[in-house]
Amino acid sequence: MGASLFEGAGARAPRQLKVMPSFAGDLLDPAQSHGDLLVRVAGEDASAVRKAVESVKGVAKQSGWAVRWAIDGFRADNRVEGGRGLARNPFHFTEGFGNPESEREVADRALVRDGQGEPGWAVGGSYQVVRVIRFATALWDKDSVHEQERIIGRRRDGKWLDGTPVREEPNFAADPKGRLTPLDSHVRLAAPDRRDPPPLVRRSYSYDRGDGDTGIVFSCFQRDLAKGFEAVQRRLEGEALAKYVLTTGGGYFFVPPPGDAWIDALG
């Protein structure tokens, strides 16, 4: 549910929900950004997913809603290892290692708690950030694998540059000058203290719309936008990866808790 859906809701609206701002380096296309309601349809059978999408569009049309934007995504080499969902992005790197392993840890990072100042109906829900990020794959593929790994701050398979095992957290403080893991690498800026990770959970999909338009549909969930996504995004300003990526769309949304009690609460 997007910010505009809660106009006039006052104290019943999620406290932090707003229109996603444009961050440094963004070039947001209004036709691919924001919206009242976000619908995600996912599955292993592509034909079944397409049928479900058409069904959703039909219901929306009958209800007087118009589709603002849509994008197809996929997860190459999708798998679960150590409780984490992993997939390979268009830059040939495996994503998902930063997520927690257990459901309890996922809930701790992603779900709104009592005492946050949120309306009662929102407890157990989550703030979702969606970012459509275009990758300059042709430019990226001109770099050596070694250079790519130093820009990301990890090996393609997820191993750490300092030799720390993939399922353990490196001690960046032991590398203060960035000799092993560059100071402007993506993972080091995103989470400078890997023992105290950002309070968010991510789930991204790759996309390919042809004519070189490839990238990811980045999605993350958190109980607090300011401490989660926005804190990470501010740290990423000036990262070495910036010249290879361009955010063109997306938005902020609120995912209500399971069940339909929140419908009655909203009136």
Side-chain angles (χ1 to χ4, degrees):
M1 300 186 291
S4 56
L5 196 62
F6 289 96
E7 290 181 3
R12 293 179 299 170
R15 182 172 58 88
Q16 297 184 42
L17 191 60
K18 59 187 177 183
V19 173
M20 184 179 74
S22 181
F23 293 90
D26 289 359
L27 187 61
L28 298 181
D29 178 359
Q32 296 186 77
S33 306
H34 319 305
D36 291 318
L37 186 67
L38 176 69
V39 179
R40 169 182 168 269
V41 180
E44 296 183 0
D45 185 327
S47 62
V49 169
R50 284 193 293 269
K51 289 180 181 179
V53 169
E54 291 306 313
S55 178
V56 169
K57 289 181 177 179
V59 172
K61 185 176 181 179
Q62 291 174 6
S63 303
W65 291 61
V67 176
R68 183 178 180 87
W69 58 276
I71 188 167
D72 293 332
F74 59 93
R75 286 175 60 82
D77 196 21
N78 185 44
R79 64 194 189 279
V80 175
E81 290 182 9
R84 297 181 172 102
L86 307 179
R88 178 170 38 81
N89 68 30
F91 279 172
H92 322 296
F93 280 73
T94 298
E95 296 187 345
F97 289 108
N99 283 335
E101 296 183 353
S102 71
E103 291 185 10
R104 181 190 61 78
E105 291 174 295
V106 168
D108 183 59
R109 293 192 197 181
L111 302 185
V112 170
R113 304 169 176 172
D114 278 316
Q116 281 190 222
E118 298 286 359
W121 70 266
V123 174
S126 185
Y127 286 97
Q128 181 179 7
V129 176
V130 178
R131 305 264 288 173
V132 179
I133 307 175
R134 184 167 181 170
F135 282 13
T137 52
L139 179 63
W140 178 259
D141 287 340
K142 291 180 180 179
D143 289 340
S144 68
V145 172
H146 174 75
E147 177 63 16
Q148 292 173 355
E149 290 178 336
R150 288 183 61 79
I151 290 170
I152 297 298
R154 270 185 138 155
R155 306 293 181 197
R156 282 186 171 186
D157 60 6
K159 294 178 182 177
W160 296 103
L161 300 187
D162 66 358
T164 302
V166 66
R167 295 186 65 178
E168 296 180 18
E169 302 301 342
N171 182 11
F172 289 147
D175 181 26
K177 295 184 178 180
R179 183 176 64 84
L180 299 175
T181 305
L183 301 179
D184 62 352
S185 64
H186 180 75
V187 298
R188 187 158 185 170
L189 288 175
D193 182 357
R194 303 297 302 193
R195 292 163 175 78
D196 183 21
L200 57 81
V201 178
R202 62 177 293 164
R203 176 76 170 181
S204 298
Y205 294 79
S206 297
Y207 77 83
D208 186 347
R209 294 192 281 202
D211 296 326
D213 186 359
T214 62
I216 63 169
V217 184
F218 170 88
S219 179
C220 69
F221 302 84
Q222 55 261 289
R223 64 175 182 271
D224 188 304
L225 280 169
K227 295 179 180 178
F229 168 77
E230 291 185 346
V232 173
Q233 194 64 26
R234 285 194 297 271
R235 288 196 296 269
L236 290 177
E237 291 185 14
E239 65 172 333
L241 185 64
K243 73 175 185 178
Y244 301 92
V245 297
L246 177 66
T247 298
T248 60
Y252 284 176
F253 301 91
F254 189 82
V255 183
D260 56 8
W262 59 273
I263 298 177
D264 295 330
L266 286 174

